Amino acid sequence: MKKVKIALLGIGTVGGGVWEIFQTNKEEISNNCGCQIEVAKILVKDPAKKRDGSIPQHLFTSNFDDIIKDKEIDMVVEVMGGIEPAKQYILTAIGEGKHIVTANKALLANHGDELLEAAKNKGVKLYYEASVAGGIPIIHAIKESLAGNKIQQIMGILNGTTNYILTKMTKDKVDFSEVLKEAQDKGYAEADPTADVEGYDAAHKLTVLASLAFGASVEFQEVYREGISKITPIDIEYAQELGYAIKLLAIGKEKEGVMELRVHPTFIPESHPLASVNDSFNAVFVKGNAVGDLMFYGRGAGDLPTGSAVVGDIIAIVKDIENVKINGYYAHKKLEKKVKPMGHTEGEYYIRLIVKDKPGVLGAIASLFGKNNVSISSVIQKGEGIPEVSLVFITHFTKEENVQAAINEITNFQAVVELANLIRVENGKKRMGA
Amino acid sequence: MKKVKIALLGIGTVGGGVWEIFQTNKEEISNNCGCQIEVAKILVKDPAKKRDGSIPQHLFTSNFDDIIKDKEIDMVVEVMGGIEPAKQYILTAIGEGKHIVTANKALLANHGDELLEAAKNKGVKLYYEASVAGGIPIIHAIKESLAGNKIQQIMGILNGTTNYILTKMTKDKVDFSEVLKEAQDKGYAEADPTADVEGYDAAHKLTVLASLAFGASVEFQEVYREGISKITPIDIEYAQELGYAIKLLAIGKEKEGVMELRVHPTFIPESHPLASVNDSFNAVFVKGNAVGDLMFYGRGAGDLPTGSAVVGDIIAIVKDIENVKINGYYAHKKLEKKVKPMGHTEGEYYIRLIVKDKPGVLGAIASLFGKNNVSISSVIQKGEGIPEVSLVFITHFTKEENVQAAINEITNFQAVVELANLIRVENGKKRMGA
């Protein structure tokens, strides 16, 4: 299998996530792109500094020339952040014909046109999915999947810190400054929170998104920007009374060649999908003239979610370099996987029985569940004094075949009129994401 | 600008949507793919039948050979549905080296491996974004953006008809059969509703998604399938009492080479993002080991949303044929667009004033709003008998500069202590999607 060599500029949060993903998902990644991707160099300030022991020491260099002059390195992945020297490194790498992946929203918002023009002229790719909304593939979607649409509107919750603060203010009815302090103590917010709470971060991301969605040049300075520091629990209470949630939204609209670009706290109806995007989650709502309303929801930050976006871009470029034609089902090879028989699946179960209302019936049924290793978490009985009543059970996490065996015995029990329904419970609260 | 010729097989709902998108978004599409795409032939049973007058009569043919033997046609877009003759047409077109776009989930679920193997061997592309969840770009996301992940779970609301029925049963507390009949009368459900209500349609889509997400062969027959016809308003009521919503979910999980594949009505916690996906909307929830939880939400059916997915695939293939390198910002050319000054934007506004609690204050403030052409939709006054009270207004749809002018006069009014907050309202209920 052919090898493609890449270099990382920086190995902080995002770079560390990228490294971890390449280690953990080695097999999936090779299979998805039909070749091996090797991190051949990592640019750092101080190669001697103590770091993640899984990274071989010889990969570190403090000399950018080691990367730029290595003809075997096809791609430079910029995950160092900041404007300079990131910008100069990227331009130099483009000049050497290397493809670029970057997660740097501030750089793109301020110098995106210049960088992309340079990449276009040199015939290399510059991808930047990770620059907006972390792991959510919104850039790919706008750039490729929605290419047949005229995009009329984008509305995004693009900053996790402010969404976390607003959620907490709403739930606990506490002041902005109190939640901010707590978030800073926990490391969710920066010591200098200005970029997040005053909306600069969201405005950077809106600049990148709007430019793509509307196919125009967008200047960061043209984005209207207002932060959340003036929001009080009183405003949140009024919002709720009126049927709204307050969110920091990044809004881009376009009509007849005129764009609206603004970031500000916003009332949105509680019924709107963005209203229930809570905590540090991000979401982007897009309206296209063909596709209608679309929403993308996920983790907007963090080493692995952002790393996922970076690695997705790296794979896309590698497939292009290697001219891998992917037809959907087919990657490098088909994996051998088995299907689990339904009886072996596990979950919680809602079971509704119609039973004769006689003493001892509940006890007898409960015993039959127990005998089949099905334990019960809730029971509801309604409608006393009528001859036939509904008896509703929610089970604990258990095996489907145990439930079926119990049901088989229970429905043969003379006091049970019928099994009115059995419905599976997914993502039960106690096992979110199981 | 170069021209690429394509042929449509069929011009029903989806084909009509594709045609309309090419007419309406001609400029955007050319700009996004750097060439002109021309629908050169349309295969129909009866070319003489009366149809959409915007389609030139000479495009229609009932002879597949007219398409297959036309060397200028690079791509065949199958939007006729059904297994045969769609399958044979696609295989023949692949044999002639033509690229394929299809929206046919039943065909893919039953013969996907065979078709994709044929495309792979011939070196042509076969794209099928529209086959699952209409306009939601879930296939592109799994295939490309999440290529660095090991996908652990997919859970989707993949059938709009059943989601509409369950939503209606929940809101109106009426029986399945009653809602089904109403949906049939309105044309939302088929005369023979089996494919939808018994979960076959969702199982077809799960087959396609799971095959991609888990990189394995998935047989449609291996998917456990149960429909919604046994769900009653009583079960929905119990679900709500216990904190759940009932949804028809298509669930795929994978662990250590063993897949779970099942379609059945499911209890999901009300706090889960899928629980609030209502009416005919679709959504897909994906869990990757790097990206974490992601959700995609949108229109799962309809001419334009499904057409959007088909056109996205067509553009992706055309860009590949023409070797168009897209760097995100840059397509064919940058459009000239202006930014609207903030004062010219329009919306509704939440305005909270602190005022002295004296007779006539509300009237005076209301007059100042009126004088500046700001009309008020709600007023809330709280805290009587204290010297300074909050006065909250929600305006009707109005211009930002009118609101700012009104606020300027109001805050100069002696009974007004301060403007405590002004927050913009987006997607006000009266103007959803404005």
Side-chain angles (χ1 to χ4, degrees), chain A residues 324-338:
Chain A
V324 176
K325 305 278 182 192
I326 296 291
N327 281 317
Y329 282 78
Y330 286 97
H332 181 62
K333 60 167 180 157
K334 207 85 171 169
L335 304 173
E336 286 298 327
K337 295 191 181 177
K338 290 199 182 90

Side-chain angles (χ1 to χ4, degrees), chain B residues 96-130:
Chain B
E96 292 295 321
K98 298 188 195 299
H99 301 282
I100 308 291
V101 172
T102 174
N104 196 326
K105 67 223 158 202
L107 180 59
L108 285 163
N110 287 291
H111 305 284
D113 283 2
E114 181 186 349
L115 295 176
L116 286 154
E117 188 72 42
K120 189 186 185 189
N121 291 338
K122 189 71 185 184
V124 299
K125 296 209 170 198
L126 192 162
Y127 279 2
Y128 49 94
E129 181 65 80

